[in-house]
Amino acid sequence: MSKEKTVLIANRYKPRDRSDRGGMGEVVFCDDLHLQRQVVLKHLQAGVGAQRLLDEQKALSKVRSKHVVQLYDIVNISVGGVQQPAIVLEFIDGETLNVGSFSADANYLKVIWQISCGLTDIHSHGIIHRDIKPGNIKIDGEGVVKILDFGLSRNSANAETMSIIGTPLFMAHELWGNNKITFDSSVDVYAFGVTCLALLTNEVPLSLLSRPPSQPSRKALSALFAGVHSEITDILHQCLAADSNDRPAMRAIQALLAKHLLKDRHRATVVLNGSANTLDCKNRRISLNATVGSLTIEYDGLDFKVIQVAGAVYINNTSVAVRTVVPGCCVFTFGNDGARKFVTFDVSNPEVMP
């Protein structure tokens, strides 16, 4: 007797002998026979509102990011004889991030930078993920981090809820209200801060376990982030602020982490009187003398800073002072009125790689 023929889904997806079930949904691993690739088909369990899957569809259909799981297709399947929608997602051959599995090193910074990239892309499309945590993040075989599970996501224009929902440790202060709760993308920033901490240790400050949580002290966080640059600890501490207005934007976090990952790899070109000079880790200091004013800039591996200035010197028409951080692309002006001289300053932008 011949074996029973496998029934294809949407005349295209062949189920494998593997599936996983979560709190609200079930995923079935399939082969896409058209494009010869493995995919994940996700549908909701009986009794779970269809709005959950609809929210995930809407979110994923907007976002195109290297660090966000991709939506490939929407199909109908039969579950218990009832037709219901299912989404077909990118299959990520990798490991879910685990609590306490990282050390404060360059690899850790690359991982949290990639998470920040994914969240920056998500927020740029007006989407709030609302369930950022290690269990919803994977890292594939090539070291690329992917954010998953948009079942609780909301559009920024419709970000409110009548119930407390989410993963308690990662829920921001404002999500613990008793009545209608309004929120914005800063709830993801808070969850990102807790995730960064959770990847290093499972011993979180008690203030984060209270309901609602309160911001731990900077000193307490310093001990847990031992080995992380103080500038990074500062911004992660801001992520945990009880007031959402005090939390930084994900784009600012992304930029700061990138700066540290690129330590000693920046290069600036300084042009005075038609002569170009390079400022980098091999040539860390340059002095510019334009007769009507002088300036010395030093590269400390992270920033280009003014360490000496004399006379009338301006950056993009703003007066220069010692300790000023020079922006990536600008013009220095030496002197006033007809005696002015100009210097261009341009920093290359090397790419941070996973």
Side-chain angles (χ1 to χ4, degrees), residues 94-129:
E95 299 294 329
T96 302
L97 299 187
N98 292 312
V99 171
S101 60
F102 286 82
S103 300
D105 54 18
N107 181 56
Y108 168 74
L109 291 184
K110 286 182 180 180
V111 168
I112 65 172
W113 171 75
Q114 290 187 75
I115 299 171
S116 74
C117 290
L119 280 171
T120 297
D121 291 337
I122 291 167
H123 293 171
S124 71
H125 287 83
I127 300 297
I128 305 167
H129 186 282

PDB file of all heavy atoms in Angstrom, residues 94-129:
ATOM      1  N   GLY A  94      18.688  29.406  13.679  1.00  0.00           N
ATOM      2  CA  GLY A  94      19.580  29.950  14.688  1.00  0.00           C
ATOM      3  C   GLY A  94      19.064  29.703  16.088  1.00  0.00           C
ATOM      4  O   GLY A  94      18.124  28.933  16.305  1.00  0.00           O
ATOM      5  N   GLU A  95      19.677  30.392  17.052  1.00  0.00           N
ATOM      6  CA  GLU A  95      19.367  30.193  18.461  1.00  0.00           C
ATOM      7  C   GLU A  95      18.658  31.413  19.039  1.00  0.00           C
ATOM      8  O   GLU A  95      18.983  32.561  18.712  1.00  0.00           O
ATOM      9  CB  GLU A  95      20.652  29.939  19.248  1.00  0.00           C
ATOM     10  CG  GLU A  95      21.420  28.692  18.812  1.00  0.00           C
ATOM     11  CD  GLU A  95      20.658  27.412  19.097  1.00  0.00           C
ATOM     12  OE1 GLU A  95      19.896  27.385  20.095  1.00  0.00           O
ATOM     13  OE2 GLU A  95      20.810  26.451  18.318  1.00  0.00           O
ATOM     14  N   THR A  96      17.692  31.141  19.911  1.00  0.00           N
ATOM     15  CA  THR A  96      17.043  32.211  20.655  1.00  0.00           C
ATOM     16  C   THR A  96      18.011  32.737  21.708  1.00  0.00           C
ATOM     17  O   THR A  96      18.755  31.978  22.320  1.00  0.00           O
ATOM     18  CB  THR A  96      15.761  31.687  21.334  1.00  0.00           C
ATOM     19  OG1 THR A  96      14.886  31.167  20.325  1.00  0.00           O
ATOM     20  CG2 THR A  96      15.052  32.789  22.102  1.00  0.00           C
ATOM     21  N   LEU A  97      18.022  34.054  21.913  1.00  0.00           N
ATOM     22  CA  LEU A  97      18.888  34.634  22.928  1.00  0.00           C
ATOM     23  C   LEU A  97      18.453  34.171  24.314  1.00  0.00           C
ATOM     24  O   LEU A  97      17.264  34.078  24.603  1.00  0.00           O
ATOM     25  CB  LEU A  97      18.847  36.155  22.867  1.00  0.00           C
ATOM     26  CG  LEU A  97      19.324  36.811  21.559  1.00  0.00           C
ATOM     27  CD1 LEU A  97      19.373  38.325  21.735  1.00  0.00           C
ATOM     28  CD2 LEU A  97      20.686  36.285  21.137  1.00  0.00           C
ATOM     29  N   ASN A  98      19.428  33.885  25.165  1.00  0.00           N
ATOM     30  CA  ASN A  98      19.155  33.382  26.501  1.00  0.00           C
ATOM     31  C   ASN A  98      19.599  34.367  27.575  1.00  0.00           C
ATOM     32  O   ASN A  98      20.612  35.060  27.423  1.00  0.00           O
ATOM     33  CB  ASN A  98      19.869  32.046  26.730  1.00  0.00           C
ATOM     34  CG  ASN A  98      19.291  30.943  25.870  1.00  0.00           C
ATOM     35  OD1 ASN A  98      18.077  30.764  25.807  1.00  0.00           O
ATOM     36  ND2 ASN A  98      20.144  30.192  25.209  1.00  0.00           N
ATOM     37  N   VAL A  99      18.855  34.398  28.659  1.00  0.00           N
ATOM     38  CA  VAL A  99      19.186  35.255  29.789  1.00  0.00           C
ATOM     39  C   VAL A  99      20.533  34.837  30.371  1.00  0.00           C
ATOM     40  O   VAL A  99      20.816  33.652  30.550  1.00  0.00           O
ATOM     41  CB  VAL A  99      18.089  35.164  30.873  1.00  0.00           C
ATOM     42  CG1 VAL A  99      18.510  35.865  32.150  1.00  0.00           C
ATOM     43  CG2 VAL A  99      16.780  35.737  30.343  1.00  0.00           C
ATOM     44  N   GLY A 100      21.385  35.809  30.660  1.00  0.00           N
ATOM     45  CA  GLY A 100      22.652  35.554  31.310  1.00  0.00           C
ATOM     46  C   GLY A 100      23.678  34.818  30.481  1.00  0.00           C
ATOM     47  O   GLY A 100      24.642  34.273  31.020  1.00  0.00           O
ATOM     48  N   SER A 101      23.510  34.812  29.162  1.00  0.00           N
ATOM     49  CA  SER A 101      24.395  34.015  28.302  1.00  0.00           C
ATOM     50  C   SER A 101      25.517  34.829  27.669  1.00  0.00           C
ATOM     51  O   SER A 101      26.299  34.288  26.882  1.00  0.00           O
ATOM     52  CB  SER A 101      23.573  33.324  27.209  1.00  0.00           C
ATOM     53  OG  SER A 101      22.899  34.270  26.406  1.00  0.00           O
ATOM     54  N   PHE A 102      25.618  36.136  27.987  1.00  0.00           N
ATOM     55  CA  PHE A 102      26.636  36.989  27.378  1.00  0.00           C
ATOM     56  C   PHE A 102      27.555  37.582  28.432  1.00  0.00           C
ATOM     57  O   PHE A 102      27.199  37.690  29.607  1.00  0.00           O
ATOM     58  CB  PHE A 102      25.986  38.127  26.578  1.00  0.00           C
ATOM     59  CG  PHE A 102      25.378  37.699  25.277  1.00  0.00           C
ATOM     60  CD1 PHE A 102      24.104  37.139  25.239  1.00  0.00           C
ATOM     61  CD2 PHE A 102      26.073  37.839  24.092  1.00  0.00           C
ATOM     62  CE1 PHE A 102      23.534  36.736  24.050  1.00  0.00           C
ATOM     63  CE2 PHE A 102      25.508  37.436  22.887  1.00  0.00           C
ATOM     64  CZ  PHE A 102      24.243  36.884  22.862  1.00  0.00           C
ATOM     65  N   SER A 103      28.740  37.966  27.985  1.00  0.00           N
ATOM     66  CA  SER A 103      29.670  38.744  28.796  1.00  0.00           C
ATOM     67  C   SER A 103      29.778  40.131  28.183  1.00  0.00           C
ATOM     68  O   SER A 103      29.482  40.323  26.996  1.00  0.00           O
ATOM     69  CB  SER A 103      31.054  38.084  28.822  1.00  0.00           C
ATOM     70  OG  SER A 103      30.975  36.785  29.376  1.00  0.00           O
ATOM     71  N   ALA A 104      30.199  41.096  28.981  1.00  0.00           N
ATOM     72  CA  ALA A 104      30.293  42.482  28.505  1.00  0.00           C
ATOM     73  C   ALA A 104      31.530  42.652  27.627  1.00  0.00           C
ATOM     74  O   ALA A 104      32.552  43.176  28.044  1.00  0.00           O
ATOM     75  CB  ALA A 104      30.347  43.429  29.691  1.00  0.00           C
ATOM     76  N   ASP A 105      31.421  42.195  26.379  1.00  0.00           N
ATOM     77  CA  ASP A 105      32.539  42.264  25.445  1.00  0.00           C
ATOM     78  C   ASP A 105      32.053  42.787  24.094  1.00  0.00           C
ATOM     79  O   ASP A 105      30.902  43.206  23.949  1.00  0.00           O
ATOM     80  CB  ASP A 105      33.210  40.892  25.296  1.00  0.00           C
ATOM     81  CG  ASP A 105      32.223  39.784  24.913  1.00  0.00           C
ATOM     82  OD1 ASP A 105      31.105  40.116  24.432  1.00  0.00           O
ATOM     83  OD2 ASP A 105      32.549  38.598  25.078  1.00  0.00           O
ATOM     84  N   ALA A 106      32.936  42.749  23.103  1.00  0.00           N
ATOM     85  CA  ALA A 106      32.585  43.279  21.779  1.00  0.00           C
ATOM     86  C   ALA A 106      31.427  42.506  21.146  1.00  0.00           C
ATOM     87  O   ALA A 106      30.570  43.093  20.475  1.00  0.00           O
ATOM     88  CB  ALA A 106      33.809  43.244  20.866  1.00  0.00           C
ATOM     89  N   ASN A 107      31.365  41.204  21.369  1.00  0.00           N
ATOM     90  CA  ASN A 107      30.277  40.403  20.800  1.00  0.00           C
ATOM     91  C   ASN A 107      28.934  40.837  21.376  1.00  0.00           C
ATOM     92  O   ASN A 107      27.933  40.947  20.655  1.00  0.00           O
ATOM     93  CB  ASN A 107      30.514  38.921  21.067  1.00  0.00           C
ATOM     94  CG  ASN A 107      29.429  38.048  20.468  1.00  0.00           C
ATOM     95  OD1 ASN A 107      29.160  38.095  19.265  1.00  0.00           O
ATOM     96  ND2 ASN A 107      28.785  37.246  21.299  1.00  0.00           N
ATOM     97  N   TYR A 108      28.904  41.094  22.666  1.00  0.00           N
ATOM     98  CA  TYR A 108      27.682  41.577  23.318  1.00  0.00           C
ATOM     99  C   TYR A 108      27.241  42.906  22.724  1.00  0.00           C
ATOM    100  O   TYR A 108      26.061  43.102  22.403  1.00  0.00           O
ATOM    101  CB  TYR A 108      27.941  41.713  24.813  1.00  0.00           C
ATOM    102  CG  TYR A 108      26.873  42.465  25.583  1.00  0.00           C
ATOM    103  CD1 TYR A 108      25.642  41.877  25.852  1.00  0.00           C
ATOM    104  CD2 TYR A 108      27.113  43.761  26.049  1.00  0.00           C
ATOM    105  CE1 TYR A 108      24.665  42.568  26.563  1.00  0.00           C
ATOM    106  CE2 TYR A 108      26.147  44.455  26.759  1.00  0.00           C
ATOM    107  CZ  TYR A 108      24.924  43.850  27.009  1.00  0.00           C
ATOM    108  OH  TYR A 108      23.955  44.536  27.708  1.00  0.00           O
ATOM    109  N   LEU A 109      28.192  43.826  22.526  1.00  0.00           N
ATOM    110  CA  LEU A 109      27.855  45.126  21.948  1.00  0.00           C
ATOM    111  C   LEU A 109      27.307  44.974  20.537  1.00  0.00           C
ATOM    112  O   LEU A 109      26.381  45.696  20.137  1.00  0.00           O
ATOM    113  CB  LEU A 109      29.082  46.043  21.943  1.00  0.00           C
ATOM    114  CG  LEU A 109      29.586  46.528  23.300  1.00  0.00           C
ATOM    115  CD1 LEU A 109      30.739  47.499  23.106  1.00  0.00           C
ATOM    116  CD2 LEU A 109      28.474  47.179  24.109  1.00  0.00           C
ATOM    117  N   LYS A 110      27.859  44.035  19.759  1.00  0.00           N
ATOM    118  CA  LYS A 110      27.353  43.812  18.401  1.00  0.00           C
ATOM    119  C   LYS A 110      25.917  43.311  18.433  1.00  0.00           C
ATOM    120  O   LYS A 110      25.092  43.706  17.599  1.00  0.00           O
ATOM    121  CB  LYS A 110      28.243  42.814  17.666  1.00  0.00           C
ATOM    122  CG  LYS A 110      29.590  43.371  17.235  1.00  0.00           C
ATOM    123  CD  LYS A 110      30.385  42.336  16.462  1.00  0.00           C
ATOM    124  CE  LYS A 110      31.735  42.898  16.029  1.00  0.00           C
ATOM    125  NZ  LYS A 110      32.522  41.897  15.263  1.00  0.00           N
ATOM    126  N   VAL A 111      25.610  42.433  19.389  1.00  0.00           N
ATOM    127  CA  VAL A 111      24.252  41.882  19.479  1.00  0.00           C
ATOM    128  C   VAL A 111      23.261  42.966  19.870  1.00  0.00           C
ATOM    129  O   VAL A 111      22.210  43.123  19.229  1.00  0.00           O
ATOM    130  CB  VAL A 111      24.213  40.704  20.479  1.00  0.00           C
ATOM    131  CG1 VAL A 111      22.771  40.319  20.812  1.00  0.00           C
ATOM    132  CG2 VAL A 111      24.952  39.496  19.899  1.00  0.00           C
ATOM    133  N   ILE A 112      23.559  43.749  20.913  1.00  0.00           N
ATOM    134  CA  ILE A 112      22.573  44.763  21.322  1.00  0.00           C
ATOM    135  C   ILE A 112      22.499  45.892  20.301  1.00  0.00           C
ATOM    136  O   ILE A 112      21.442  46.528  20.151  1.00  0.00           O
ATOM    137  CB  ILE A 112      22.840  45.288  22.749  1.00  0.00           C
ATOM    138  CG1 ILE A 112      24.162  46.057  22.841  1.00  0.00           C
ATOM    139  CG2 ILE A 112      22.805  44.139  23.753  1.00  0.00           C
ATOM    140  CD1 ILE A 112      24.349  46.746  24.209  1.00  0.00           C
ATOM    141  N   TRP A 113      23.603  46.147  19.575  1.00  0.00           N
ATOM    142  CA  TRP A 113      23.535  47.130  18.487  1.00  0.00           C
ATOM    143  C   TRP A 113      22.582  46.649  17.398  1.00  0.00           C
ATOM    144  O   TRP A 113      21.770  47.439  16.886  1.00  0.00           O
ATOM    145  CB  TRP A 113      24.924  47.366  17.888  1.00  0.00           C
ATOM    146  CG  TRP A 113      24.880  48.185  16.633  1.00  0.00           C
ATOM    147  CD1 TRP A 113      24.679  49.526  16.525  1.00  0.00           C
ATOM    148  CD2 TRP A 113      25.029  47.707  15.281  1.00  0.00           C
ATOM    149  NE1 TRP A 113      24.686  49.925  15.207  1.00  0.00           N
ATOM    150  CE2 TRP A 113      24.903  48.822  14.418  1.00  0.00           C
ATOM    151  CE3 TRP A 113      25.265  46.455  14.733  1.00  0.00           C
ATOM    152  CZ2 TRP A 113      24.989  48.704  13.036  1.00  0.00           C
ATOM    153  CZ3 TRP A 113      25.357  46.338  13.355  1.00  0.00           C
ATOM    154  CH2 TRP A 113      25.222  47.455  12.519  1.00  0.00           C
ATOM    155  N   GLN A 114      22.640  45.367  17.049  1.00  0.00           N
ATOM    156  CA  GLN A 114      21.740  44.835  16.022  1.00  0.00           C
ATOM    157  C   GLN A 114      20.283  44.887  16.481  1.00  0.00           C
ATOM    158  O   GLN A 114      19.378  45.174  15.685  1.00  0.00           O
ATOM    159  CB  GLN A 114      22.135  43.405  15.667  1.00  0.00           C
ATOM    160  CG  GLN A 114      23.441  43.300  14.901  1.00  0.00           C
ATOM    161  CD  GLN A 114      23.690  41.878  14.439  1.00  0.00           C
ATOM    162  OE1 GLN A 114      23.073  41.385  13.497  1.00  0.00           O
ATOM    163  NE2 GLN A 114      24.600  41.196  15.121  1.00  0.00           N
ATOM    164  N   ILE A 115      20.043  44.620  17.763  1.00  0.00           N
ATOM    165  CA  ILE A 115      18.680  44.755  18.285  1.00  0.00           C
ATOM    166  C   ILE A 115      18.218  46.199  18.137  1.00  0.00           C
ATOM    167  O   ILE A 115      17.081  46.473  17.722  1.00  0.00           O
ATOM    168  CB  ILE A 115      18.605  44.321  19.768  1.00  0.00           C
ATOM    169  CG1 ILE A 115      19.012  42.850  19.927  1.00  0.00           C
ATOM    170  CG2 ILE A 115      17.183  44.530  20.306  1.00  0.00           C
ATOM    171  CD1 ILE A 115      19.172  42.414  21.381  1.00  0.00           C
ATOM    172  N   SER A 116      19.110  47.141  18.461  1.00  0.00           N
ATOM    173  CA  SER A 116      18.760  48.558  18.330  1.00  0.00           C
ATOM    174  C   SER A 116      18.490  48.932  16.875  1.00  0.00           C
ATOM    175  O   SER A 116      17.621  49.765  16.593  1.00  0.00           O
ATOM    176  CB  SER A 116      19.861  49.442  18.918  1.00  0.00           C
ATOM    177  OG  SER A 116      21.000  49.506  18.092  1.00  0.00           O
ATOM    178  N   CYS A 117      19.221  48.321  15.938  1.00  0.00           N
ATOM    179  CA  CYS A 117      18.971  48.583  14.508  1.00  0.00           C
ATOM    180  C   CYS A 117      17.579  48.116  14.116  1.00  0.00           C
ATOM    181  O   CYS A 117      16.838  48.821  13.415  1.00  0.00           O
ATOM    182  CB  CYS A 117      20.018  47.863  13.655  1.00  0.00           C
ATOM    183  SG  CYS A 117      21.687  48.529  13.754  1.00  0.00           S
ATOM    184  N   GLY A 118      17.217  46.899  14.545  1.00  0.00           N
ATOM    185  CA  GLY A 118      15.894  46.365  14.233  1.00  0.00           C
ATOM    186  C   GLY A 118      14.786  47.231  14.810  1.00  0.00           C
ATOM    187  O   GLY A 118      13.793  47.534  14.135  1.00  0.00           O
ATOM    188  N   LEU A 119      14.953  47.654  16.076  1.00  0.00           N
ATOM    189  CA  LEU A 119      13.932  48.490  16.701  1.00  0.00           C
ATOM    190  C   LEU A 119      13.855  49.863  16.054  1.00  0.00           C
ATOM    191  O   LEU A 119      12.766  50.443  15.915  1.00  0.00           O
ATOM    192  CB  LEU A 119      14.219  48.621  18.198  1.00  0.00           C
ATOM    193  CG  LEU A 119      13.768  47.435  19.047  1.00  0.00           C
ATOM    194  CD1 LEU A 119      14.278  47.549  20.468  1.00  0.00           C
ATOM    195  CD2 LEU A 119      12.246  47.309  19.026  1.00  0.00           C
ATOM    196  N   THR A 120      14.995  50.405  15.644  1.00  0.00           N
ATOM    197  CA  THR A 120      14.987  51.692  14.936  1.00  0.00           C
ATOM    198  C   THR A 120      14.188  51.572  13.644  1.00  0.00           C
ATOM    199  O   THR A 120      13.376  52.451  13.309  1.00  0.00           O
ATOM    200  CB  THR A 120      16.424  52.146  14.630  1.00  0.00           C
ATOM    201  OG1 THR A 120      17.129  52.358  15.860  1.00  0.00           O
ATOM    202  CG2 THR A 120      16.441  53.439  13.836  1.00  0.00           C
ATOM    203  N   ASP A 121      14.396  50.468  12.907  1.00  0.00           N
ATOM    204  CA  ASP A 121      13.635  50.246  11.667  1.00  0.00           C
ATOM    205  C   ASP A 121      12.152  50.077  11.954  1.00  0.00           C
ATOM    206  O   ASP A 121      11.293  50.619  11.237  1.00  0.00           O
ATOM    207  CB  ASP A 121      14.171  49.010  10.937  1.00  0.00           C
ATOM    208  CG  ASP A 121      15.559  49.217  10.362  1.00  0.00           C
ATOM    209  OD1 ASP A 121      15.942  50.379  10.131  1.00  0.00           O
ATOM    210  OD2 ASP A 121      16.272  48.216  10.152  1.00  0.00           O
ATOM    211  N   ILE A 122      11.817  49.326  13.007  1.00  0.00           N
ATOM    212  CA  ILE A 122      10.416  49.110  13.374  1.00  0.00           C
ATOM    213  C   ILE A 122       9.751  50.442  13.711  1.00  0.00           C
ATOM    214  O   ILE A 122       8.658  50.759  13.212  1.00  0.00           O
ATOM    215  CB  ILE A 122      10.332  48.139  14.576  1.00  0.00           C
ATOM    216  CG1 ILE A 122      10.750  46.727  14.152  1.00  0.00           C
ATOM    217  CG2 ILE A 122       8.919  48.117  15.156  1.00  0.00           C
ATOM    218  CD1 ILE A 122      11.002  45.791  15.309  1.00  0.00           C
ATOM    219  N   HIS A 123      10.403  51.235  14.538  1.00  0.00           N
ATOM    220  CA  HIS A 123       9.825  52.529  14.941  1.00  0.00           C
ATOM    221  C   HIS A 123       9.719  53.502  13.783  1.00  0.00           C
ATOM    222  O   HIS A 123       8.806  54.333  13.737  1.00  0.00           O
ATOM    223  CB  HIS A 123      10.659  53.130  16.075  1.00  0.00           C
ATOM    224  CG  HIS A 123      10.581  52.358  17.350  1.00  0.00           C
ATOM    225  ND1 HIS A 123      11.385  52.622  18.447  1.00  0.00           N
ATOM    226  CD2 HIS A 123       9.789  51.308  17.711  1.00  0.00           C
ATOM    227  CE1 HIS A 123      11.085  51.778  19.422  1.00  0.00           C
ATOM    228  NE2 HIS A 123      10.124  50.976  19.003  1.00  0.00           N
ATOM    229  N   SER A 124      10.645  53.412  12.823  1.00  0.00           N
ATOM    230  CA  SER A 124      10.607  54.328  11.677  1.00  0.00           C
ATOM    231  C   SER A 124       9.383  54.075  10.800  1.00  0.00           C
ATOM    232  O   SER A 124       8.989  54.945  10.014  1.00  0.00           O
ATOM    233  CB  SER A 124      11.881  54.186  10.837  1.00  0.00           C
ATOM    234  OG  SER A 124      11.909  52.957  10.128  1.00  0.00           O
ATOM    235  N   HIS A 125       8.773  52.897  10.932  1.00  0.00           N
ATOM    236  CA  HIS A 125       7.557  52.573  10.180  1.00  0.00           C
ATOM    237  C   HIS A 125       6.298  52.795  11.023  1.00  0.00           C
ATOM    238  O   HIS A 125       5.205  52.362  10.639  1.00  0.00           O
ATOM    239  CB  HIS A 125       7.600  51.119   9.702  1.00  0.00           C
ATOM    240  CG  HIS A 125       8.554  50.890   8.574  1.00  0.00           C
ATOM    241  ND1 HIS A 125       9.905  50.682   8.762  1.00  0.00           N
ATOM    242  CD2 HIS A 125       8.368  50.855   7.224  1.00  0.00           C
ATOM    243  CE1 HIS A 125      10.497  50.515   7.600  1.00  0.00           C
ATOM    244  NE2 HIS A 125       9.596  50.622   6.657  1.00  0.00           N
ATOM    245  N   GLY A 126       6.458  53.445  12.180  1.00  0.00           N
ATOM    246  CA  GLY A 126       5.298  53.742  13.010  1.00  0.00           C
ATOM    247  C   GLY A 126       4.751  52.549  13.753  1.00  0.00           C
ATOM    248  O   GLY A 126       3.572  52.534  14.128  1.00  0.00           O
ATOM    249  N   ILE A 127       5.582  51.545  13.998  1.00  0.00           N
ATOM    250  CA  ILE A 127       5.156  50.326  14.680  1.00  0.00           C
ATOM    251  C   ILE A 127       5.789  50.260  16.062  1.00  0.00           C
ATOM    252  O   ILE A 127       6.954  50.596  16.250  1.00  0.00           O
ATOM    253  CB  ILE A 127       5.551  49.074  13.869  1.00  0.00           C
ATOM    254  CG1 ILE A 127       4.906  49.106  12.485  1.00  0.00           C
ATOM    255  CG2 ILE A 127       5.177  47.794  14.615  1.00  0.00           C
ATOM    256  CD1 ILE A 127       3.395  49.074  12.491  1.00  0.00           C
ATOM    257  N   ILE A 128       5.006  49.814  17.049  1.00  0.00           N
ATOM    258  CA  ILE A 128       5.507  49.535  18.395  1.00  0.00           C
ATOM    259  C   ILE A 128       5.437  48.018  18.589  1.00  0.00           C
ATOM    260  O   ILE A 128       4.366  47.424  18.440  1.00  0.00           O
ATOM    261  CB  ILE A 128       4.653  50.242  19.463  1.00  0.00           C
ATOM    262  CG1 ILE A 128       4.589  51.740  19.178  1.00  0.00           C
ATOM    263  CG2 ILE A 128       5.204  49.976  20.859  1.00  0.00           C
ATOM    264  CD1 ILE A 128       3.521  52.470  19.993  1.00  0.00           C
ATOM    265  N   HIS A 129       6.550  47.381  18.905  1.00  0.00           N
ATOM    266  CA  HIS A 129       6.579  45.921  19.020  1.00  0.00           C
ATOM    267  C   HIS A 129       5.822  45.454  20.254  1.00  0.00           C
ATOM    268  O   HIS A 129       5.013  44.546  20.207  1.00  0.00           O
ATOM    269  CB  HIS A 129       8.032  45.431  19.076  1.00  0.00           C
ATOM    270  CG  HIS A 129       8.167  43.947  19.062  1.00  0.00           C
ATOM    271  ND1 HIS A 129       7.951  43.172  20.187  1.00  0.00           N
ATOM    272  CD2 HIS A 129       8.504  43.088  18.067  1.00  0.00           C
ATOM    273  CE1 HIS A 129       8.138  41.896  19.877  1.00  0.00           C
ATOM    274  NE2 HIS A 129       8.476  41.826  18.597  1.00  0.00           N
TER     275      HIS A 129
END
